Amino acid sequence: MATEIIMPKLGLTMTEGTVYEWVKNEGDEVKKGDIVASINSEKLTADVDAPVDGTLIKIVVHEGEDAKCKDPIGYIGVTGEKVGKEEATAKVPAEAEAKDAKQDEQVQVNKQPVTVQQNNNDKGRVFVTPLARKIAAEKGFDYHQVKGTGGNGRVTRRDVENYVPTQQPAGASIVTHATAGVGLTGMRQIIAQRMMSSLQNTAQVTLQLKADITNLMSFRKDLQQKVNQPLVDGQLSLTTLVTKAVILALKDTPEMNAWYHDGQYEKVTAVNIGMAVAVANGLVVPVVKSADSMTLTELGRSLNTVITDAREGTLGSSAYSDGTFTISNLGKSGVEYFTPVINQPEIGILGVGTLLKELALGDDDQIKQLLKLPLSLTFDHQIIDGAPAADFLAKIVSYLEDPYTLIL
């Protein structure tokens, strides 16, 4: 019996993925563990391995096409073997589209009703076949504006092909997370969709504060000089120390260490820190799991590993899921404050700016130089109010300004 190659589920919010490339072709022999395809989702391109030895006898989801998580995208078996489910999972050819539309007319884009200002359906829901959605994306059309002629007003391939866009007045276009990324491909399209989804489904507010890390940097330098062995694991890097301060603040404020997804709020016991990392073709967020149980050395080593592997593209797909809070550092870019976007289903993200030198008048009326670190906290106001969010940010600052607490 043929074995399914399934679309993996890489994160809590992932419902479907896009096949980016088939590395193997139909008829190719494969070994268990061989990379057969790569997919796009959750801000990254992930490899899909062959689950068994055999022959790739059928590809049912082709490059550029979508599949729901856990659905088969191909089959491995014996040459000539029949695939029992291939008709149910394959993309429907044009001549069978009408039959497919009738079977699928209850399927909605992204599993949610989409409300638009102009629609071909009185209930405000848009039904669209997968093929029609793909063609609309290729043509740069908003299929919400296409009049559907299928059952329940469903938009079909022919509707999209026959659609002539009308000129709209400035400001009249409608952008949703379902239409975001039109004209983009690969990771860039996934990032566009997730950023739009985050902004539309959360009430994001950003607070900003500077931490005086003058004592922290002196403390760091003093430790480096007194320790007899070389500190090569990044345990005293500013990134590691800021991460440690965030971990401690999250333990003090458990309501921030949580997920909010599909109307459900869930506190998470373990602190899993995501670290935004810029890569050649976009942005990824590898996660250090159970970071709250690590020493500074373990934390520094783990951060170095996931950041390096993410940049080199060698990090496993499981390392990008289950984050409970994210840190985004633009310090090397010279940015002071910015507005980081929440990485759903998390409810908070910390932006770290560039290190600043400021002059201040001391208690002895002498001018002294201080080192300040700008911090930007974006939080979901649906879950956290302004006062507790401000207290959380103040706790991070407090830990950074009292460096001995970071090693206790």
Side-chain angles (χ1 to χ4, degrees):
M1 181 176 179
T3 300
E4 297 176 343
I5 305 171
I6 65 169
M7 173 64 70
K9 185 176 179 65
L10 304 180
L12 183 66
T13 61
M14 180 178 172
T15 58
E16 65 177 22
T18 303
V19 175
Y20 179 69
E21 178 186 12
W22 277 100
V23 178
K24 300 291 186 179
N25 299 313
E26 287 187 5
D28 287 352
E29 296 291 328
V30 298
K31 296 290 186 181
K32 181 179 180 181
D34 286 352
I35 297 174
V36 295
S38 61
I39 64 158
N40 282 334
S41 192
E42 300 293 316
K43 297 186 181 179
L44 72 147
T45 299
D47 292 329
V48 179
D49 299 337
V52 295
D53 295 346
T55 301
L56 179 57
I57 58 175
K58 186 67 177 178
I59 291 174
V60 296
V61 181
H62 298 278
E63 293 179 1
E65 295 180 341
D66 299 332
K68 295 178 181 178
C69 293
K70 305 302 181 182
D71 277 1
I73 61 175
Y75 289 88
I76 294 175
V78 179
T79 301
E81 182 178 357
K82 298 296 183 181
V83 180
K85 296 183 179 180
E86 69 180 55
E87 290 300 323
T89 56
K91 293 294 180 180
V92 181
E95 61 269 21
E97 184 177 305
K99 180 179 178 181
D100 177 66
K102 184 176 180 180
Q103 293 173 340
D104 292 340
E105 62 185 12
Q106 296 304 314
V107 178
Q108 302 169 37
V109 177
N110 287 338
K111 299 183 180 180
Q112 296 184 8
V114 180
T115 303
V116 296
Q117 295 173 359
Q118 298 178 354
N119 203 338
N120 55 5
N121 189 294
D122 293 337
K123 295 182 179 180
R125 295 182 177 182
V126 175
F127 300 102
V128 58
T129 67
L131 183 58
R133 178 157 59 120
K134 180 175 181 289
I135 295 174
E138 291 173 349
K139 291 179 175 290
F141 292 167
D142 178 2
Y143 59 77
H144 299 86
Q145 306 302 317
V146 179
K147 180 176 177 59
T149 60
N152 263 13
R154 187 180 183 87
V155 178
T156 67
R157 171 183 59 84
R158 294 180 182 85
D159 296 328
V160 175
E161 291 177 342
N162 295 331
Y163 173 64
V164 178
T166 57
Q167 187 67 34
Q168 293 185 349
S173 61
I174 304 165
V175 179
T176 71
H177 71 271
T179 59
V182 170
L184 303 175
T185 59
M187 184 184 293
R188 192 72 260 160
Q189 184 182 58
I190 299 298
I191 292 173
Q193 292 170 347
R194 285 184 56 80
M195 292 299 100
M196 186 60 68
S197 175
S198 178
L199 291 171
Q200 290 186 334
N201 292 303
T202 57
Q204 301 195 23
V205 178
T206 302
L207 303 178
Q208 298 170 335
L209 198 61
K210 285 181 183 176
D212 182 354
I213 62 170
T214 307
N215 291 336
L216 175 64
M217 300 305 282
S218 297
F219 169 79
R220 175 173 173 261
K221 184 177 180 180
D222 187 51
L223 275 183
Q224 289 172 331
Q225 293 174 344
K226 291 181 177 179
V227 175
N228 292 326
Q229 60 186 28
L231 302 176
V232 296
D233 291 313
Q235 53 267 73
L236 292 182
S237 71
L238 187 55
T239 295
T240 301
L241 295 172
V242 170
T243 302
K244 183 65 174 182
V246 169
I247 292 169
L248 294 173
L250 286 169
K251 296 298 287 184
D252 292 340
T253 317
E255 57 269 25
M256 285 292 300
N257 194 63
W259 295 321
Y260 183 63
H261 178 58
D262 288 340
Q264 298 295 318
Y265 170 69
E266 178 186 356
K267 291 182 182 178
V268 185
T269 302
V271 177
N272 303 328
I273 295 294
M275 188 65 63
V277 177
V279 293
N281 54 345
L283 178 74
V284 295
V285 184
V287 177
V288 175
K289 298 178 182 178
S290 298
D292 53 315
S293 64
M294 296 180 178
T295 64
L296 270 181
T297 298
E298 293 170 337
L299 180 61
R301 185 184 302 124
S302 297
L303 287 170
N304 282 345
T305 298
V306 299
I307 291 172
T308 300
D309 290 352
R311 286 173 176 160
E312 294 178 352
T314 59
L315 194 61
S317 58
S318 62
Y320 293 96
S321 62
D322 300 330
T324 59
F325 190 89
T326 294
I327 298 173
S328 179
N329 191 338
L330 293 181
K332 290 184 178 180
S333 301
V335 174
E336 293 184 26
Y337 293 112
F338 59 104
T339 306
V341 177
I342 293 173
N343 186 27
Q344 289 183 288
E346 300 166 18
I347 61 173
I349 181 171
L350 182 73
V352 181
T354 191
L355 189 61
L356 302 174
K357 295 180 180 180
E358 296 184 355
L359 297 180
L361 192 64
D363 294 336
D364 55 358
D365 292 333
Q366 298 295 313
I367 295 177
K368 59 182 180 179
Q369 179 179 275
L370 302 179
L371 298 176
K372 296 291 189 74
L373 187 67
L375 302 174
S376 304
L377 172 69
T378 298
F379 63 98
D380 187 350
H381 212 321
Q382 295 178 109
I383 309 301
I384 304 294
D385 290 330
D391 289 343
F392 171 72
L393 182 56
K395 287 176 182 176
I396 297 175
V397 171
S398 176
Y399 282 118
L400 289 173
E401 293 183 347
D402 187 5
Y404 284 94
T405 60
L406 301 178
I407 61 173
L408 294 178

